[in-house]
Amino acid sequence: TICFGESQPLMVEIVNDSLEIALNLVSFNTANNLVLSYSSAKLQASIHTLSLLILSEYGDTIQETIIPIQSNSEYVYVPPSSDLKPVIMQLKVNNSCNEVISSNQQQSDVLSGDESENQDNIHLKWNNNSFWENDMLNNEVWHSENGIDGWEFVTVVVAGNEYNYSKKGLSLSHFFRVKQINSVLNKESWSNTLKIMSDDALLIPDVFTPDGDGLNDRWEIRNIEFYPVKNVAVYNKYGQKVFESNSGFIPWDGSINGKIIQGTYLYQITFVSGDIRYGQVTVLQ
């Protein structure tokens, strides 16, 4: 077949979807969730699919899941609270050409610690972001007694990732965070909030003898003066309140309406920090 003449125009649409994505920062918030901040000039929820890849420190894949594209370019990841470890995070985008574009990697900073044997110090240790190791890093240690407010700056660790915190007073609880500051990139990343309980200094007797002999006549709690107390309540076996002390601790003489009733009672001590201590105390004559 021989054809003469001109064909109809052939329309060709050329798609150029060469977007890029950068994972700028991975940082813990006060709820111990990881906040990922990213940037991408061409990322659109209507045509792109965003995935989060989580790797172990050794490069093993822990999880890969599709996440929503947020207008504020942030995503909050809730890590398993039972086993908090440093992880490597990376973002991946499937574009309209079905190509996979990967971001750079960042690592979370996880803080751990425990009390020394003499209970005078708390040893803190954390990992550094392995992708910041060639930059100038300062590590600020912060402390709070309730983990909500009252955060106080403790010190700066310039070289290394360990610090021994000397306990002041006899607080029931200690909360710590570490802020890692990258002066080269002008960025800062927070670690998780670490809670350390210290209760061995508070000695609550489980029995006293209000018999008037001058020995162990009252229910007194040793070192209670170092612990801000909100309320102390004592209950009998029927759940009836038989003794209460508000805005501090007042030793109980064991009397109920002027009488000493021998038996075992339940107590509840509520501290200003929010901690609550439960236990039993026995009154003997």
Side-chain angles (χ1 to χ4, degrees):
T1 302
I2 301 175
C3 297
F4 298 92
E6 188 176 316
S7 69
Q8 294 295 322
L10 175 63
M11 305 301 294
V12 178
E13 181 181 0
I14 300 176
V15 178
N16 181 9
D17 197 6
S18 57
L19 61 82
E20 295 180 351
I21 185 167
L23 181 55
N24 300 320
L25 189 66
V26 172
S27 180
F28 278 96
N29 59 18
T30 54
N32 270 359
N33 297 326
L34 278 167
V35 180
L36 285 71
S37 300
Y38 59 90
S39 59
S40 179
K42 301 178 182 180
L43 189 63
Q44 299 180 43
S46 58
I47 60 175
H48 298 134
T49 302
L50 183 61
S51 299
L52 171 62
L53 177 64
I54 301 176
L55 306 171
S56 70
E57 292 181 277
Y58 310 103
D60 302 319
T61 300
I62 299 175
Q63 179 183 350
E64 184 170 0
T65 182
I66 296 176
I67 62 174
I69 297 176
Q70 305 286 359
S71 58
N72 62 351
S73 298
E74 285 190 351
Y75 177 72
V76 178
Y77 169 71
V78 182
S81 57
S82 58
D83 188 20
L84 198 60
K85 294 181 179 179
V87 293
I88 296 172
M89 315 193 85
Q90 186 176 25
L91 295 175
K92 291 185 175 182
V93 179
N94 281 70
N95 66 9
S96 55
C97 299
N98 202 29
E99 298 171 322
V100 178
I101 293 91
S102 299
S103 74
N104 57 305
Q105 295 179 333
Q106 295 284 0
Q107 188 176 30
S108 60
D109 302 323
V110 175
L111 174 65
S112 61
D114 50 38
E115 279 191 320
S116 59
E117 292 185 2
N118 58 12
Q119 299 173 351
D120 292 332
N121 298 320
I122 296 175
H123 180 68
L124 302 174
K125 187 175 182 179
W126 60 92
N127 68 290
N128 289 324
N129 186 334
S130 58
F131 302 98
W132 286 3
E133 60 186 2
N134 294 323
D135 298 335
M136 294 287 295
L137 299 180
N138 290 331
N139 298 282
E140 292 184 357
V141 180
W142 290 74
H143 172 265
S144 169
E145 291 187 356
N146 58 27
I148 301 173
D149 52 21
W151 285 96
E152 296 181 348
F153 168 76
V154 178
T155 189
V156 174
V157 179
V158 177
N161 57 349
E162 296 183 55
Y163 179 71
N164 285 321
Y165 175 81
S166 298
K167 292 195 296 184
K168 301 175 182 178
L170 295 171
S171 298
L172 276 175
S173 55
H174 297 272
F175 293 81
F176 298 94
R177 298 182 78 193
V178 171
K179 180 168 65 173
Q180 192 168 113
I181 302 173
N182 188 324
S183 57
V184 175
L185 300 177
N186 194 27
K187 295 178 180 179
E188 56 186 40
S189 173
W190 284 97
S191 75
N192 57 302
T193 300
L194 175 68
K195 180 180 181 180
I196 300 290
M197 292 298 299
S198 176
D199 56 9
D200 291 338
L202 191 66
L203 300 178
I204 306 176
D206 55 8
V207 62
F208 69 105
T209 56
D211 52 12
D213 64 354
L215 299 174
N216 199 29
D217 282 334
R218 300 189 302 172
W219 185 50
E220 300 190 53
I221 301 176
R222 183 178 175 184
N223 294 326
I224 191 68
E225 64 271 17
F226 298 104
Y227 297 77
V229 173
K230 184 178 181 181
N231 174 268
V232 178
V234 179
Y235 302 86
N236 61 21
K237 62 181 180 179
Y238 304 106
Q240 300 169 324
K241 189 184 296 182
V242 298
F243 172 77
E244 185 174 28
S245 174
N246 292 308
S247 301
F249 175 69
I250 300 175
W252 181 35
D253 62 5
S255 64
I256 303 173
N257 297 325
K259 297 182 179 180
I260 304 296
I261 301 177
Q262 185 170 275
T264 299
Y265 298 85
L266 302 176
Y267 65 80
Q268 174 181 302
I269 304 175
T270 304
F271 298 89
V272 174
S273 64
D275 294 298
I276 300 177
R277 184 74 62 85
Y278 300 95
Q280 294 182 349
V281 57
T282 299
V283 177
L284 293 178
Q285 276 192 297

